């Protein structure tokens, strides 16, 4: 049994590595920018599988993404670990069992997707998407939707993201001078956080608020037109349905 332990350990690390790379990865929340939804030290499970099938983040999703450039301050803090401990941590980080010290990732909530116009604030002091004011129950207590005023249309292939603790979150609003006017590339998204896994007292699923999930979609480049509801019959089908009736009426008028 003891001789099999190294093999079991190697298999466990390989399985963990595959899970981290293609399925689910654990991330640690380092700051209060997503309070009260996520607390400092929370461990969240991030779905990395669905992006492999071409699914893009939706409004309201909490996503982990790579630093698009200039969002994070350089970390020059030296490690106090010895060479052996650094190697052990490197193996565990590669397997997803520990957070990597080299990864430069952020976590925010998606507010706008390609084609959306995101604006703050309206006459009622609310954030709006495509002219519709949002109810934001996830905001940290006492926070306004935004102390900065802005209006931006999200380009194709990009996302507008904001933290739930708006007063301290250096999100898309603070990077509007960057390429993309503060938006981030969809390709930089690592995955969607879907569960707070630790501590157990915080365990819960991360839901998408109705105020964001119920908004109609808009294609990038459209000037205010929204896409038709998939539940409604397309116009072409309606025309095809009318044509046979018109033909029958025409034959009846000819006496055929």
């Amino acid at each position: 049994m003891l001789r099999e332990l190294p093999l079991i350990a190697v298999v466990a690390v390989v399985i963990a590595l595959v899970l981290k790379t293609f399925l689910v990865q654990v991330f640690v929340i380092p700051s209060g920018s997503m309070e009260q939804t996520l607390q400092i030290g929370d461990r969240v499970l991030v779905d990395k599988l669905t992006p492999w099938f071409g699914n893009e983040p939706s409004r309201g999703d909490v996503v982990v993404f790579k630093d698009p450039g200039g969002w994070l301050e350089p970390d020059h803090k030296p490690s106090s670990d010895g060479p052996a401990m650094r190697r052990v941590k490197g193996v565990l980080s590669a397997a997803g069992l520990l957070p990597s010290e080299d990864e430069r990732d952020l976590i925010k909530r998606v507010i706008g997707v390609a084609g959306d116009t995101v604006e703050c604030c309206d006459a009622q002091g609310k954030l709006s998407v495509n002219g519709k004011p949002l109810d934001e129950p996830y905001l940290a207590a006492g926070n306004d939707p935004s102390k900065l005023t802005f209006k931006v249309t999200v380009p194709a292939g990009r996302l507008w993201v904001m933290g739930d603790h708006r007063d301290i979150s250096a999100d898309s609003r603070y990077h509007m001078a960057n390429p993309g006017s503060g938006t981030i590339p969809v390709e930089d998204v690592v995955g969607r956080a879907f569960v707070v896994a630790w501590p157990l007292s915080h365990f819960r699923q991360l839901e998408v608020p109705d105020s964001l999930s119920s908004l109609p979609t808009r294609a990038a480049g459209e000037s205010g037109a929204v896409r038709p509801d998939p539940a409604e019959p397309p116009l072409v089908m309606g025309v095809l349905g009318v044509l046979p009736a018109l033909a029958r009426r025409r034959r009846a008028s000819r006496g055929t």
Side-chain angles (χ1 to χ4, degrees):
M1 180 63 181
L2 292 177
R3 289 179 296 179
E4 296 175 354
L5 286 178
L7 177 60
I8 293 173
V10 170
V11 171
V13 169
V14 170
I15 292 174
L17 181 60
V18 171
L19 289 174
K20 174 203 168 183
T21 304
F22 299 104
L23 299 176
V24 175
Q25 185 174 353
V26 178
F27 284 84
V28 182
I29 305 303
S31 74
S33 68
M34 283 295 293
E35 293 173 340
Q36 300 295 325
T37 304
L38 301 173
Q39 307 292 321
I40 296 174
D42 281 354
R43 267 66 170 172
V44 295
L45 299 184
V46 173
D47 168 22
K48 300 177 70 174
L49 177 64
T50 51
W52 285 85
F53 293 95
N55 291 341
E56 295 187 355
S58 302
R59 298 186 204 94
D61 286 346
V62 175
V63 296
V64 171
F65 58 96
K66 301 173 186 175
D67 183 359
W71 283 47
L72 291 173
E73 295 292 333
D75 186 6
H76 300 298
K77 182 179 178 181
S79 174
S80 59
D81 298 327
M85 182 57 69
R86 283 199 295 270
R87 284 194 292 270
V88 171
K89 284 189 173 181
V91 172
L92 295 177
S93 296
L97 302 177
L98 279 180
S100 172
E101 295 180 358
D102 299 326
E103 290 180 353
R104 307 285 283 167
D105 300 315
L106 301 99
I107 186 165
K108 305 290 179 190
R109 188 181 298 275
V110 176
I111 301 296
V113 297
D116 285 344
T117 296
V118 185
E119 184 175 5
C120 199
C121 297
D122 63 11
Q124 288 74 42
K126 289 189 173 185
L127 179 71
S128 68
V129 176
N130 301 333
K132 181 176 180 180
L134 299 181
D135 290 323
E136 300 189 277
Y138 42 78
L139 289 185
N143 278 207
D144 295 325
S146 177
K147 284 184 166 58
L148 296 178
T149 58
F150 62 89
K151 182 176 183 179
V152 64
T153 298
V154 183
R158 302 185 75 90
L159 304 167
W160 178 270
V161 296
M162 300 176 74
D164 290 355
H165 197 164
R166 298 282 163 79
D167 287 355
I168 66 170
S169 179
D171 47 41
S172 287
R173 298 168 294 166
Y174 291 86
H175 302 278
M176 295 188 67
N178 296 5
S181 300
T183 60
I184 66 166
V186 171
E187 62 188 19
D188 283 354
V189 174
V190 175
R192 178 181 64 89
F194 64 97
V195 165
V196 181
W198 189 264
L200 291 179
S201 59
H202 295 176
F203 184 88
R204 71 187 182 284
Q205 184 176 351
L206 295 173
E207 304 284 354
V208 175
D210 291 339
S211 60
L212 284 164
S213 63
S214 62
L215 287 171
T217 56
R218 177 185 292 181
E222 290 181 353
S223 56
V226 296
R227 294 178 181 173
D229 186 335
E232 296 180 1
L235 177 61
V236 65
M237 295 303 293
V239 171
L240 291 175
V242 169
L243 287 178
L246 291 177
R248 288 194 297 271
R249 182 177 297 179
R250 187 173 182 181
R251 287 196 300 269
S253 64
R254 292 179 176 177
T256 59

